[in-house]
Amino acid sequence: MKINNIGYLLKEGIRGIFLHGFMSVAAICVTVACLLIVGLFSALTYNLNILVEDLNKTNEILVYVDSELSDAEAKSIGTVINMVDNVYQAVFVSREEALANFIAEHDGDAAFSGLEAEDLRHRYVVTLEDNTLMEQTVSDIEKIDGVVKISASYTLAEGFTTLQNILHVVSIAIVAVLLLVSLLIISNTVKLAMYGRRDEIAIMKMVGATNGFIRLPYVVEGFTLGMLGAGAAFGLEWLLYDLMLARLEELDTLKLFSFVPFDELLVPLLGTFFAAGLFVGVVGSWTSIRKFMDV
């Protein structure tokens, strides 16, 4: 294809946007709305996933050491525990520390007034890297000499894992539906443009115009609509996210929720919005063209 032909076809594609002003604006607005919802939901899901991971790390297991071991022997076990796969951290808690914590939790309870440090065991508070592997990790720790008992909350770990899986499935479903809506809108916009010029397309086919020559203006039109929608959605996403963080900071005085700054999301979201705009624009226009090529 000649260079001057490419320039002409690109110009025709841009002109098509203005020829169908209302539908073009509608396509951009719907794309913006869909991508904005996708972006906000993705950002929320990302932050919730980080929150769940942080909560997951608070689901610790307790590893009790044989009471017959000396303090030095009990402390040496920690090195072995930290070498076990999937162990993030193992913190040693002496009998005395365990007693102090126990008394603080049961302050004023006369039933435990005679409790001595020797009645308790040295222990380790172990945090795992991946709680979905808790059973295997517990099994590996149980094989260590000097470990007599392990207390682990499997139900809580499974709950966190289930919550993460639900977040992933819901986010994928919502993203897929919204992208499909944008795809259909842009496809219908380009289809309407081609329907109004179906006689012109038939004439171009009869005089020997190639399918590529006919298609390109409409692909450019769809691509431009998709990119305009993606750019506007990204700008609004940035603005709304920063406003949400500012509002959240005002309301959450106890700092219960910690959302990442937009800078951390900038590159992934920019790539996602660009890819989504490219997809709905090009694919939407390309699929709407096919039926008009058979003339």
Side-chain angles (χ1 to χ4, degrees):
M1 185 178 294
K2 297 180 180 179
I3 299 297
N4 58 340
N5 284 346
I6 294 178
Y8 165 77
L9 295 174
L10 292 176
K11 184 175 66 176
E12 285 295 301
I14 300 298
R15 189 170 69 91
I17 296 175
F18 295 97
L19 287 176
H20 311 92
F22 177 77
M23 284 299 296
S24 297
V25 171
I28 292 173
C29 290
V30 171
T31 303
V32 168
C34 291
L35 291 182
L36 188 60
I37 296 173
V38 168
L40 288 174
F41 189 82
S42 299
L44 179 61
T45 302
Y46 179 81
N47 282 281
L48 288 177
N49 193 55
I50 291 177
L51 179 62
V52 171
E53 289 180 356
D54 290 340
L55 290 173
N56 213 356
K57 291 180 180 179
T58 65
N59 184 25
E60 303 159 330
I61 64 175
L62 295 178
V63 179
Y64 296 94
V65 178
D66 190 343
S67 57
E68 299 298 323
L69 298 178
S70 65
D71 292 353
E73 291 172 329
K75 291 179 180 179
S76 67
I77 293 177
T79 304
V80 183
I81 296 176
N82 277 305
M83 293 176 64
V84 174
D85 289 340
N86 195 43
V87 171
Y88 175 74
Q89 186 181 40
V91 178
F92 178 73
V93 179
S94 66
R95 293 188 180 99
E96 292 73 21
E97 291 176 292
L99 178 61
N101 293 336
F102 188 84
I103 292 174
E105 293 174 2
H106 300 83
D107 187 28
D109 194 334
F112 303 107
S113 58
L115 190 65
E116 300 289 341
E118 288 70 19
D119 298 325
L120 303 176
R121 292 191 179 102
H122 294 306
R123 67 199 64 184
Y124 283 89
V125 178
V126 179
T127 305
L128 306 182
E129 295 177 354
D130 183 358
N131 278 340
T132 61
L133 304 175
M134 181 178 286
E135 290 190 30
Q136 178 60 46
T137 307
V138 168
S139 177
D140 293 338
I141 295 175
E142 285 176 336
K143 298 174 183 178
I144 299 174
D145 291 336
V147 173
V148 294
K149 181 183 176 183
I150 297 179
S151 177
S153 178
Y154 296 109
T155 303
L156 187 59
E158 291 174 358
F160 284 134
T161 301
T162 301
L163 180 57
Q164 283 183 307
N165 291 336
I166 291 174
L167 287 174
H168 291 155
V169 171
V170 171
S171 62
I172 291 173
I174 290 179
V175 168
V177 170
L178 293 175
L179 286 180
L180 180 61
V181 171
S182 299
L183 186 68
L184 291 175
I185 293 295
I186 289 182
S187 175
N188 287 332
T189 301
V190 175
K191 189 180 295 183
L192 181 63
M194 296 197 72
Y195 184 79
R197 300 176 64 184
R198 60 191 184 280
D199 293 337
E200 179 184 339
I201 293 172
I203 294 172
M204 293 174 68
K205 290 281 288 183
M206 285 187 290
V207 298
T210 64
N211 287 343
F213 187 88
I214 298 172
R215 283 192 180 110
L216 186 57
Y218 301 102
V219 173
V220 170
E221 182 177 344
F223 170 79
T224 305
L225 292 174
M227 288 297 100
L228 288 174
F234 181 78
L236 286 173
E237 171 84 9
W238 195 335
L239 176 64
L240 291 176
Y241 189 87
D242 284 345
L243 289 175
M244 182 188 70
L245 287 188
R247 185 59 177 166
L248 184 64
E249 188 174 350
E250 293 177 3
L251 298 176
D252 187 18
T253 56
L254 298 178
K255 305 299 180 183
L256 298 177
F257 300 97
S258 178
F259 280 53
V260 301
F262 191 82
D263 291 347
E264 187 172 328
L265 301 171
L266 193 148
V267 174
L269 280 181
L270 184 61
T272 301
F273 276 54
F274 176 81
L278 179 66
F279 176 78
V280 299
V282 174
V283 175
S285 59
W286 189 269
T287 53
S288 66
I289 293 171
R290 294 177 60 187
K291 64 178 292 185
F292 290 94
M293 292 294 100
D294 301 325
V295 293

